[in-house]
């Protein structure tokens, strides 16, 4: 569900529900901040900080569990592939037509979109937040036709956070 604050309660849920699998959907911190600014009048600086805090909690608190990192943009550019990856990762029965799932992702529902140049030039965003987004994006690069789930057997996202802390 779309509630980033859930990430701070993950330790509780992990203690109650065995064998959890996590799908972490990452959206551009600038898009998140712009959305929060428009809807809730939250300053951009605070919005990007909230993005960082909740995403970091999601990665840290899902360490050691099967998890898949996906990106919000990818559902709009190749929804069938992303839904396929997610369905495979979760071990769900594949729907006869992935278009059923794609119907829930419509371009008109996307109110904020930031181009890479705008994202990189955003002065309200600390460089470590930009590095976190770009680094996670780099960790999840896959072949266009690959629907294999992320195994994270070496916990590359967790390792990346530790490297980012050293920055």
């Amino acid at each position: 569900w779309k509630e980033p604050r859930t990430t701070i309660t993950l330790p509780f849920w992990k203690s109650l529900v065995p064998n959890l699998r996590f799908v972490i959907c990452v959206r551009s911190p600038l898009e998140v901040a712009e959305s929060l600014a428009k809807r809730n009048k939250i300053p951009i600086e605070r919005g990007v900080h909230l993005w960082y805090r909740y995403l970091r909690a999601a990665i840290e608190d899902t360490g050691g569990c099967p998890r898949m990192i996906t990106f919000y943009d990818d559902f709009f550019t190749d929804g069938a592939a992303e839904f396929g990856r997610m369905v495979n990762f979760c071990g769900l029965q594949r729907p006869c037509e992935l278009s059923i799932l794609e119907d829930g992702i419509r371009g008109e529902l996307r109110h904020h979109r930031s181009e890479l140049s705008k994202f990189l030039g955003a002065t309200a965003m600390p460089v470590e937040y930009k590095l976190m987004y770009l680094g996670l994006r780099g960790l999840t690069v896959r072949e266009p036709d690959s629907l294999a789930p992320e195994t994270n057997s070496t916990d590359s996202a967790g390792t990346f956070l530790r490297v980012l802390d050293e920055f």
Side-chain angles (χ1 to χ4, degrees):
W1 60 87
K2 184 183 172 185
E3 176 50 67
R5 291 173 289 196
T6 303
T7 61
I8 60 178
T9 63
L10 284 178
F12 169 75
W13 290 110
K14 284 171 61 176
S15 72
L16 288 180
V17 183
N19 304 318
L20 285 174
R21 293 177 150 303
F22 296 95
V23 176
I24 299 172
C25 185
V26 180
R27 188 173 183 190
S28 161
L30 188 56
E31 289 180 15
V32 169
E34 288 174 343
S35 177
L36 291 172
K38 182 176 181 179
R39 188 183 68 215
N40 301 93
K41 309 294 186 244
I42 293 174
I44 296 291
E45 295 84 1
R46 175 110 172 102
V48 295
H49 175 72
L50 289 170
W51 170 90
Y52 181 81
R53 178 178 174 204
Y54 294 135
L55 180 57
R56 186 169 183 106
I59 293 168
E60 289 173 345
D61 292 335
T62 57
C65 296
R67 69 172 162 217
M68 178 184 138
I69 296 177
T70 186
F71 283 79
Y72 184 78
D73 290 350
D74 295 345
F75 286 96
F76 291 95
T77 57
D78 193 356
E82 282 308 294
F83 280 118
R85 285 181 64 228
M86 192 167 55
V87 165
N88 289 345
F89 172 77
C90 292
L92 301 173
Q93 183 176 358
R94 194 174 180 88
C96 295
E97 293 206 26
L98 287 175
S99 62
I100 294 169
L101 297 173
E102 289 181 289
D103 288 343
I105 302 290
R106 296 188 311 271
E108 65 267 14
L109 297 176
R110 187 175 186 186
H111 304 293
H112 299 279
R113 183 183 183 113
S114 65
E115 299 301 321
L116 184 60
S117 59
K118 183 178 177 184
F119 167 78
L120 292 173
T123 57
M125 190 181 329
V127 70
E128 61 265 26
Y129 296 9
K130 293 176 187 179
L131 289 173
M132 184 168 168
Y133 179 78
L134 295 171
L136 289 172
R137 185 53 130 161
L139 288 173
T140 59
V141 171
R142 59 182 169 76
E143 293 298 317
D145 297 328
S146 170
L147 296 181
E150 306 284 334
T151 60
N152 287 320
S153 59
T154 61
D155 193 20
S156 55
T159 301
F160 175 71
L161 284 185
R162 288 188 292 282
V163 169
L164 188 60
D165 286 342
E166 298 298 318
F167 177 75

